[in-house]
């Protein structure tokens, strides 16, 4: 686990070094540079995982199979966008979402690049390495419980954190995304759910995403109202609807995984 995390982090750090030493000195547009770096980081993280665990485990890396890429990428990206759209719809119906301006499509380039890197690098490390190896040793249920507690603990002291926003984060990153992996036994699905999620929130709907400083997307919007519905400083992903919908989707993934016999029983049992 430690070796896997170190390899991916070092590879991504190498791309970041190339950015600062070469790309930032070119005359390319900032959005184009961001997209090139994002694609490079996503590619090198994927290839690093495949080559490392192919050598270490001496097996084919089925969880990143090219044959399953298109189907799971489409399902995952669509799911991430639809979830964010549902959060915004609930906020809109409550009368607290207002579109101030529609910006050029080109403004989505920066959020797209950020989301691409976040989806690939984060989920390859978190799900592909940490959760997968933890699940092999402790079983699916125990690994999920550990992840839920871990993500809740990591976000307790985040600026503007509330009981609901911490619970929503725990359900998203600690339950729904690992459950998507258990269901599909494929990393493309959680990677692209995260990708679509992080792209849609600021890039399409103009919502707050606490993990990025992106200021503009397709829509410039104003979100006011009760923080239970809007997420407050945490953005729509930290709202009560987010918590409930991600919990529901995670349960659905687990039920489908059980039907497919994808749930791992602990070795001690």
């Amino acid at each position: 686990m430690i070796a896997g995390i170190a390899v991916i982090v070092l590879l991504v750090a190498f791309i970041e070094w190339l950015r600062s030493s070469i790309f930032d000195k070119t005359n390319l547009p900032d959005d184009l540079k961001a997209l090139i770096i994002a694609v490079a980081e996503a590619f090198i993280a994927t290839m690093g995982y495949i080559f490392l665990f192919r050598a270490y485990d001496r097996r084919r890396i089925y969880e990143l199979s090219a044959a399953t890429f298109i189907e799971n990428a489409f399902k995952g990206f669509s799911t991430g966008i639809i979830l964010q759209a549902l959060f915004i719809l609930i906020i809109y119906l409550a009368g607290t979402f207002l579109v101030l301006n529609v910006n050029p499509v080109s403004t989505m380039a920066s959020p797209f690049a950020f989301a691409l890197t976040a989806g690939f690098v984060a989920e390859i490390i978190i799900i592909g390495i940490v959760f997968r190896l933890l699940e092999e040793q402790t079983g699916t249920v125990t690994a999920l419980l550990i992840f839920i507690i871990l993500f809740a603990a990591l976000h307790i002291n985040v600026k503007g954190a509330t009981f609901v926003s911490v619970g929503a984060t725990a359900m998203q990153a600690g339950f729904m995304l690992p459950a998507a992996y258990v269901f599909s036994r494929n990393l493309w699905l959680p990677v692209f759910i995260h990708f679509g999620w992080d792209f849609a929130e600021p890039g399409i709907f103009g919502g707050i995403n606490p993990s990025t400083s992106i200021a503009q997307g397709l829509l410039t919007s104003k979100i006011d109202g009760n923080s239970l519905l809007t997420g407050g400083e945490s953005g729509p992903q930290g709202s009560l609807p987010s918590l409930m919908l991600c919990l529901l989707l995670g349960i659905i993934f687990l039920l489908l995984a059980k039907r497919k016999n994808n749930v791992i029983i602990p070795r001690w049992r």
Side-chain angles (χ1 to χ4, degrees):
M1 192 183 292
I2 294 172
I5 294 171
V7 167
I8 302 302
V9 169
L10 287 173
L11 289 172
V12 173
F14 172 71
I15 299 297
E16 287 295 321
W17 175 79
L18 288 178
R19 178 214 289 265
S20 60
S21 61
I22 298 176
F23 273 88
D24 286 347
K25 297 177 182 178
T26 68
N27 294 322
L28 293 172
D30 289 341
D31 287 343
L32 180 57
K33 286 190 285 188
L35 284 172
I36 292 172
I37 293 298
V39 170
E41 290 181 348
F43 178 79
I44 202 168
T46 303
M47 291 298 102
Y49 178 94
I50 290 173
F51 282 109
L52 174 65
F53 287 102
R54 181 184 290 167
Y56 186 81
D57 292 341
R58 297 181 181 180
R59 64 179 178 89
R60 289 184 61 187
I61 307 301
Y62 293 102
E63 62 268 28
L64 286 175
S65 169
T68 61
F69 174 80
I70 294 178
E71 178 184 359
N72 285 284
F74 175 76
K75 289 179 179 178
F77 195 70
S78 300
T79 299
I81 293 177
I82 290 170
L83 281 170
Q84 288 289 351
L86 288 173
F87 306 155
I88 296 299
L89 176 61
I90 292 170
I91 294 171
Y92 172 77
L93 293 175
T96 57
F97 180 81
L98 179 64
V99 176
L100 302 178
N101 191 38
V102 179
N103 303 307
V105 174
S106 59
T107 57
M108 294 193 293
S110 182
F112 185 89
F114 163 79
L116 178 62
T117 299
F120 271 77
V121 177
E123 298 314 321
I124 284 175
I125 291 175
I126 295 171
I127 305 296
I129 298 176
V130 180
F131 179 80
R132 179 178 63 83
L133 296 177
L134 181 65
E135 184 192 25
E136 288 178 0
Q137 297 298 319
T138 66
T140 300
V141 174
T142 302
L144 286 171
L145 289 174
I146 291 172
F147 255 52
I148 291 170
I149 294 170
L150 176 64
F151 275 95
L154 289 174
H155 289 83
I156 287 175
N157 294 320
V158 171
K159 182 182 178 182
T162 64
F163 178 80
V164 172
S165 69
V166 171
T169 301
M171 287 302 104
Q172 296 150 17
F175 181 59
M176 180 187 70
L177 290 176
Y181 167 73
V182 174
F183 158 67
S184 62
R185 288 299 166 194
N186 190 292
L187 283 175
W188 298 127
L189 186 59
V191 161
F192 275 87
I193 291 175
H194 189 162
F195 180 12
W197 174 290
D198 272 5
F199 169 60
E201 190 167 38
I204 297 177
F205 302 112
I208 297 171
N209 187 309
S211 60
T212 177
S213 59
I214 291 171
Q216 192 174 58
L218 181 63
L219 302 178
T220 299
S221 59
K222 182 180 180 181
I223 300 176
D224 286 322
N226 193 311
S227 61
L228 285 176
L229 285 179
T230 66
E233 293 185 54
S234 300
Q237 68 178 23
S239 65
L240 182 61
S242 171
L243 190 160
M244 300 305 295
L245 286 171
C246 291
L247 173 62
L248 176 61
L249 184 56
I251 291 172
I252 291 172
F253 278 139
L254 276 188
L255 292 175
L256 293 173
K258 185 177 180 181
R259 184 178 298 178
K260 294 170 66 176
N261 292 320
N262 282 355
V263 175
I264 295 177
I265 304 300
R267 292 181 180 180
W268 60 266
R269 289 183 60 186

